[in-house]
Amino acid sequence: QVQLVESGGGLVQAGGSLRLSCAASGSTFSNYGMGWFRQAPGKEREFVAAISWASGRSTYYADSVKGRFTISRDNTKNTLYLQMNSLKPEDTAVYYCAAETSGLGSTKREDFGSWGQGIQVTVSS
């Protein structure tokens, strides 16, 4: 099973940018489809973005972040990224990276079997 550790969160003003990273270890990173989810206080954990295995040819985004967020992966560094631009206060949440074994890329939370511990992103207005 792959272990995941997120970094890069913090406090940013509305309109600003952040890049989240997720370092993977313990298994062959390129075999996994990867995703980002987020959970705001009092809300369910929701899908943000996903990328397929290996070359990451297929990417998927929630409508709320499409055009603002970009998911990517560097298999040589065993790292997943989420570039977040034009941030809004409603993007404030704990962000989680996750791995799924089909490798195809998924938007469904139940498909992901490995999760990071999460990292806080706060966007001030």
Side-chain angles (χ1 to χ4, degrees), residues 42-78:
K43 294 188 176 181
E44 294 286 321
R45 191 172 299 186
E46 65 176 5
F47 168 75
V48 175
I51 189 167
S52 59
W53 70 303
S55 65
R57 184 181 300 273
S58 298
T59 57
Y60 309 88
Y61 295 94
D63 288 343
S64 59
V65 306
K66 204 170 292 183
R68 299 188 298 122
F69 291 10
T70 302
I71 189 171
S72 62
R73 65 190 300 160
D74 185 339
N75 293 331
T76 66
K77 297 181 178 179
N78 290 344

Short mmCIF file of all heavy atoms in Angstrom, two decimals, residues 42-78:
data_model
loop_
_atom_site.label_atom_id
_atom_site.label_comp_id
_atom_site.label_asym_id
_atom_site.label_seq_id
_atom_site.Cartn_x
_atom_site.Cartn_y
_atom_site.Cartn_z
N GLY A 42 -18.04 20.94 8.49
CA GLY A 42 -19.46 20.65 8.42
C GLY A 42 -19.94 20.11 7.09
O GLY A 42 -21.15 19.93 6.90
N LYS A 43 -19.02 19.84 6.18
CA LYS A 43 -19.41 19.34 4.87
C LYS A 43 -18.77 17.98 4.59
O LYS A 43 -17.81 17.58 5.24
CB LYS A 43 -19.01 20.34 3.78
CG LYS A 43 -19.75 21.67 3.86
CD LYS A 43 -19.45 22.53 2.66
CE LYS A 43 -20.26 23.81 2.69
NZ LYS A 43 -20.00 24.66 1.49
N GLU A 44 -19.32 17.30 3.59
CA GLU A 44 -18.78 16.03 3.16
C GLU A 44 -17.47 16.25 2.40
O GLU A 44 -17.26 17.31 1.80
CB GLU A 44 -19.77 15.32 2.24
CG GLU A 44 -21.07 14.89 2.90
CD GLU A 44 -20.85 13.67 3.78
OE1 GLU A 44 -20.08 12.79 3.40
OE2 GLU A 44 -21.46 13.65 4.87
N ARG A 45 -16.62 15.22 2.41
CA ARG A 45 -15.41 15.27 1.61
C ARG A 45 -15.82 15.19 0.13
O ARG A 45 -16.59 14.32 -0.26
CB ARG A 45 -14.48 14.11 1.97
CG ARG A 45 -13.10 14.23 1.39
CD ARG A 45 -12.17 13.18 1.94
NE ARG A 45 -12.02 13.28 3.39
CZ ARG A 45 -11.16 12.55 4.10
NH1 ARG A 45 -10.38 11.67 3.49
NH2 ARG A 45 -11.10 12.68 5.41
N GLU A 46 -15.28 16.10 -0.68
CA GLU A 46 -15.70 16.17 -2.07
C GLU A 46 -14.52 16.05 -3.03
O GLU A 46 -13.39 16.42 -2.70
CB GLU A 46 -16.43 17.49 -2.35
CG GLU A 46 -15.59 18.72 -2.21
CD GLU A 46 -16.33 19.99 -2.60
OE1 GLU A 46 -17.54 19.94 -2.88
OE2 GLU A 46 -15.68 21.06 -2.62
N PHE A 47 -14.82 15.56 -4.20
CA PHE A 47 -13.82 15.40 -5.24
C PHE A 47 -13.36 16.76 -5.76
O PHE A 47 -14.18 17.68 -5.93
CB PHE A 47 -14.42 14.59 -6.39
CG PHE A 47 -13.60 14.60 -7.65
CD1 PHE A 47 -12.44 13.84 -7.72
CD2 PHE A 47 -13.99 15.36 -8.73
CE1 PHE A 47 -11.68 13.85 -8.88
CE2 PHE A 47 -13.24 15.37 -9.89
CZ PHE A 47 -12.08 14.62 -9.97
N VAL A 48 -12.06 16.88 -6.03
CA VAL A 48 -11.49 18.09 -6.61
C VAL A 48 -10.90 17.81 -7.99
O VAL A 48 -11.25 18.45 -8.97
CB VAL A 48 -10.41 18.68 -5.69
CG1 VAL A 48 -9.73 19.87 -6.37
CG2 VAL A 48 -10.99 19.08 -4.34
N ALA A 49 -9.97 16.84 -8.06
CA ALA A 49 -9.29 16.56 -9.32
C ALA A 49 -8.70 15.16 -9.27
O ALA A 49 -8.42 14.63 -8.18
CB ALA A 49 -8.18 17.57 -9.58
N ALA A 50 -8.50 14.56 -10.45
CA ALA A 50 -7.90 13.23 -10.52
C ALA A 50 -7.07 13.11 -11.79
O ALA A 50 -7.29 13.84 -12.76
CB ALA A 50 -8.97 12.15 -10.50
N ILE A 51 -6.12 12.18 -11.74
CA ILE A 51 -5.22 11.96 -12.87
C ILE A 51 -4.96 10.47 -12.99
O ILE A 51 -4.85 9.76 -11.99
CB ILE A 51 -3.92 12.76 -12.67
CG1 ILE A 51 -3.05 12.73 -13.93
CG2 ILE A 51 -3.15 12.29 -11.45
CD1 ILE A 51 -1.92 13.75 -13.88
N SER A 52 -4.87 9.98 -14.22
CA SER A 52 -4.65 8.56 -14.44
C SER A 52 -3.20 8.19 -14.17
O SER A 52 -2.33 9.03 -14.02
CB SER A 52 -5.05 8.16 -15.85
OG SER A 52 -4.30 8.91 -16.79
N TRP A 53 -2.94 6.90 -14.19
CA TRP A 53 -1.62 6.38 -13.86
C TRP A 53 -0.60 6.68 -14.95
O TRP A 53 -0.93 7.26 -15.98
CB TRP A 53 -1.70 4.87 -13.65
CG TRP A 53 -1.95 4.11 -14.91
CD1 TRP A 53 -3.00 4.26 -15.78
CD2 TRP A 53 -1.15 3.07 -15.45
NE1 TRP A 53 -2.88 3.39 -16.82
CE2 TRP A 53 -1.77 2.63 -16.64
CE3 TRP A 53 0.04 2.45 -15.04
CZ2 TRP A 53 -1.22 1.60 -17.42
CZ3 TRP A 53 0.56 1.43 -15.81
CH2 TRP A 53 -0.06 1.03 -16.99
N ALA A 54 0.64 6.30 -14.67
CA ALA A 54 1.76 6.40 -15.62
C ALA A 54 1.89 7.84 -16.14
O ALA A 54 2.20 8.75 -15.39
CB ALA A 54 1.59 5.38 -16.74
N SER A 55 1.61 8.06 -17.41
CA SER A 55 1.84 9.37 -18.01
C SER A 55 0.83 10.42 -17.58
O SER A 55 1.02 11.61 -17.85
CB SER A 55 1.82 9.27 -19.54
OG SER A 55 0.53 8.90 -19.97
N GLY A 56 -0.24 9.99 -16.92
CA GLY A 56 -1.25 10.96 -16.51
C GLY A 56 -1.99 11.58 -17.68
O GLY A 56 -2.35 12.75 -17.63
N ARG A 57 -2.24 10.79 -18.69
CA ARG A 57 -2.86 11.31 -19.91
C ARG A 57 -4.27 11.83 -19.66
O ARG A 57 -4.71 12.78 -20.29
CB ARG A 57 -2.91 10.21 -20.96
CG ARG A 57 -3.45 10.65 -22.30
CD ARG A 57 -3.49 9.48 -23.26
NE ARG A 57 -2.17 8.92 -23.48
CZ ARG A 57 -1.32 9.36 -24.41
NH1 ARG A 57 -1.66 10.37 -25.18
NH2 ARG A 57 -0.14 8.79 -24.55
N SER A 58 -4.98 11.21 -18.72
CA SER A 58 -6.36 11.60 -18.44
C SER A 58 -6.45 12.36 -17.13
O SER A 58 -5.92 11.92 -16.11
CB SER A 58 -7.24 10.35 -18.36
OG SER A 58 -7.25 9.66 -19.59
N THR A 59 -7.10 13.51 -17.19
CA THR A 59 -7.34 14.31 -15.98
C THR A 59 -8.82 14.65 -15.87
O THR A 59 -9.52 14.72 -16.88
CB THR A 59 -6.51 15.60 -15.98
OG1 THR A 59 -6.82 16.35 -17.15
CG2 THR A 59 -5.02 15.30 -15.96
N TYR A 60 -9.26 14.84 -14.64
CA TYR A 60 -10.67 15.11 -14.35
C TYR A 60 -10.73 16.20 -13.28
O TYR A 60 -9.90 16.23 -12.37
CB TYR A 60 -11.36 13.84 -13.84
CG TYR A 60 -11.14 12.64 -14.73
CD1 TYR A 60 -10.04 11.81 -14.55
CD2 TYR A 60 -12.03 12.34 -15.75
CE1 TYR A 60 -9.82 10.72 -15.37
CE2 TYR A 60 -11.82 11.24 -16.58
CZ TYR A 60 -10.71 10.44 -16.38
OH TYR A 60 -10.50 9.36 -17.20
N TYR A 61 -11.75 17.05 -13.39
CA TYR A 61 -11.89 18.15 -12.45
C TYR A 61 -13.34 18.33 -12.03
O TYR A 61 -14.25 18.14 -12.84
CB TYR A 61 -11.40 19.46 -13.07
CG TYR A 61 -9.93 19.47 -13.38
CD1 TYR A 61 -9.46 19.13 -14.64
CD2 TYR A 61 -9.00 19.82 -12.40
CE1 TYR A 61 -8.10 19.13 -14.93
CE2 TYR A 61 -7.64 19.83 -12.68
CZ TYR A 61 -7.20 19.47 -13.94
OH TYR A 61 -5.86 19.47 -14.23
N ALA A 62 -13.53 18.75 -10.79
CA ALA A 62 -14.85 19.20 -10.36
C ALA A 62 -15.17 20.50 -11.09
O ALA A 62 -14.27 21.31 -11.37
CB ALA A 62 -14.85 19.42 -8.85
N ASP A 63 -16.43 20.72 -11.36
CA ASP A 63 -16.84 21.94 -12.07
C ASP A 63 -16.41 23.19 -11.32
O ASP A 63 -16.07 24.20 -11.94
CB ASP A 63 -18.35 21.95 -12.27
CG ASP A 63 -18.81 20.94 -13.31
OD1 ASP A 63 -17.96 20.46 -14.10
OD2 ASP A 63 -20.01 20.63 -13.33
N SER A 64 -16.40 23.10 -10.00
CA SER A 64 -16.10 24.28 -9.19
C SER A 64 -14.64 24.75 -9.31
O SER A 64 -14.33 25.88 -8.96
CB SER A 64 -16.42 23.99 -7.72
OG SER A 64 -15.67 22.89 -7.26
N VAL A 65 -13.75 23.87 -9.79
CA VAL A 65 -12.34 24.24 -9.88
C VAL A 65 -11.81 24.24 -11.31
O VAL A 65 -10.67 24.64 -11.55
CB VAL A 65 -11.46 23.31 -9.01
CG1 VAL A 65 -11.99 23.27 -7.58
CG2 VAL A 65 -11.37 21.91 -9.59
N LYS A 66 -12.63 23.81 -12.24
CA LYS A 66 -12.20 23.71 -13.63
C LYS A 66 -11.75 25.08 -14.14
O LYS A 66 -12.44 26.08 -13.95
CB LYS A 66 -13.35 23.16 -14.47
CG LYS A 66 -12.95 22.49 -15.75
CD LYS A 66 -14.12 21.77 -16.39
CE LYS A 66 -14.57 20.59 -15.58
NZ LYS A 66 -15.67 19.83 -16.24
N GLY A 67 -10.59 25.09 -14.78
CA GLY A 67 -10.05 26.35 -15.30
C GLY A 67 -9.20 27.10 -14.30
O GLY A 67 -8.50 28.05 -14.67
N ARG A 68 -9.24 26.70 -13.02
CA ARG A 68 -8.46 27.39 -11.98
C ARG A 68 -7.39 26.46 -11.39
O ARG A 68 -6.31 26.91 -11.01
CB ARG A 68 -9.37 27.87 -10.86
CG ARG A 68 -10.42 28.86 -11.30
CD ARG A 68 -11.16 29.45 -10.09
NE ARG A 68 -11.88 28.46 -9.33
CZ ARG A 68 -11.69 28.22 -8.04
NH1 ARG A 68 -10.78 28.92 -7.35
NH2 ARG A 68 -12.41 27.30 -7.39
N PHE A 69 -7.70 25.17 -11.28
CA PHE A 69 -6.80 24.19 -10.67
C PHE A 69 -6.23 23.29 -11.76
O PHE A 69 -6.91 22.97 -12.73
CB PHE A 69 -7.52 23.33 -9.65
CG PHE A 69 -7.94 24.03 -8.39
CD1 PHE A 69 -7.88 25.41 -8.25
CD2 PHE A 69 -8.41 23.29 -7.31
CE1 PHE A 69 -8.28 26.05 -7.09
CE2 PHE A 69 -8.80 23.90 -6.13
CZ PHE A 69 -8.75 25.29 -6.03
N THR A 70 -4.99 22.83 -11.55
CA THR A 70 -4.36 21.90 -12.47
C THR A 70 -3.69 20.78 -11.68
O THR A 70 -2.87 21.05 -10.79
CB THR A 70 -3.30 22.59 -13.34
OG1 THR A 70 -3.91 23.66 -14.07
CG2 THR A 70 -2.69 21.60 -14.33
N ILE A 71 -4.05 19.55 -11.99
CA ILE A 71 -3.43 18.39 -11.36
C ILE A 71 -2.34 17.86 -12.28
O ILE A 71 -2.49 17.85 -13.52
CB ILE A 71 -4.48 17.29 -11.06
CG1 ILE A 71 -3.87 16.18 -10.21
CG2 ILE A 71 -5.12 16.75 -12.32
CD1 ILE A 71 -4.91 15.17 -9.68
N SER A 72 -1.24 17.44 -11.68
CA SER A 72 -0.14 16.87 -12.47
C SER A 72 0.64 15.89 -11.60
O SER A 72 0.45 15.86 -10.38
CB SER A 72 0.79 17.96 -13.00
OG SER A 72 1.40 18.68 -11.94
N ARG A 73 1.50 15.11 -12.23
CA ARG A 73 2.30 14.15 -11.48
C ARG A 73 3.69 14.07 -12.08
O ARG A 73 3.87 14.25 -13.28
CB ARG A 73 1.63 12.77 -11.49
CG ARG A 73 1.53 12.11 -12.85
CD ARG A 73 0.65 10.87 -12.79
NE ARG A 73 1.17 9.88 -11.85
CZ ARG A 73 0.43 8.91 -11.32
NH1 ARG A 73 -0.87 8.83 -11.61
NH2 ARG A 73 0.96 8.05 -10.49
N ASP A 74 4.66 13.81 -11.22
CA ASP A 74 6.04 13.57 -11.64
C ASP A 74 6.44 12.20 -11.09
O ASP A 74 6.76 12.06 -9.90
CB ASP A 74 6.96 14.67 -11.10
CG ASP A 74 8.39 14.54 -11.62
OD1 ASP A 74 8.77 13.43 -12.05
OD2 ASP A 74 9.12 15.53 -11.57
N ASN A 75 6.40 11.21 -11.95
CA ASN A 75 6.67 9.85 -11.50
C ASN A 75 8.14 9.64 -11.13
O ASN A 75 8.46 8.71 -10.38
CB ASN A 75 6.24 8.84 -12.56
CG ASN A 75 4.75 8.82 -12.77
OD1 ASN A 75 3.97 9.10 -11.85
ND2 ASN A 75 4.32 8.52 -13.98
N THR A 76 9.03 10.49 -11.63
CA THR A 76 10.45 10.36 -11.26
C THR A 76 10.68 10.82 -9.83
O THR A 76 11.65 10.42 -9.19
CB THR A 76 11.34 11.17 -12.20
OG1 THR A 76 11.07 12.56 -12.03
CG2 THR A 76 11.12 10.77 -13.65
N LYS A 77 9.77 11.67 -9.33
CA LYS A 77 9.87 12.16 -7.96
C LYS A 77 8.81 11.56 -7.04
O LYS A 77 8.71 11.94 -5.88
CB LYS A 77 9.75 13.69 -7.95
CG LYS A 77 10.87 14.40 -8.70
CD LYS A 77 10.71 15.90 -8.62
CE LYS A 77 11.85 16.62 -9.35
NZ LYS A 77 11.70 18.09 -9.31
N ASN A 78 8.01 10.65 -7.57
CA ASN A 78 6.92 10.04 -6.79
C ASN A 78 6.04 11.11 -6.14
O ASN A 78 5.70 11.01 -4.95
CB ASN A 78 7.49 9.10 -5.72
CG ASN A 78 8.10 7.86 -6.31
OD1 ASN A 78 7.86 7.51 -7.47
ND2 ASN A 78 8.90 7.17 -5.52
#
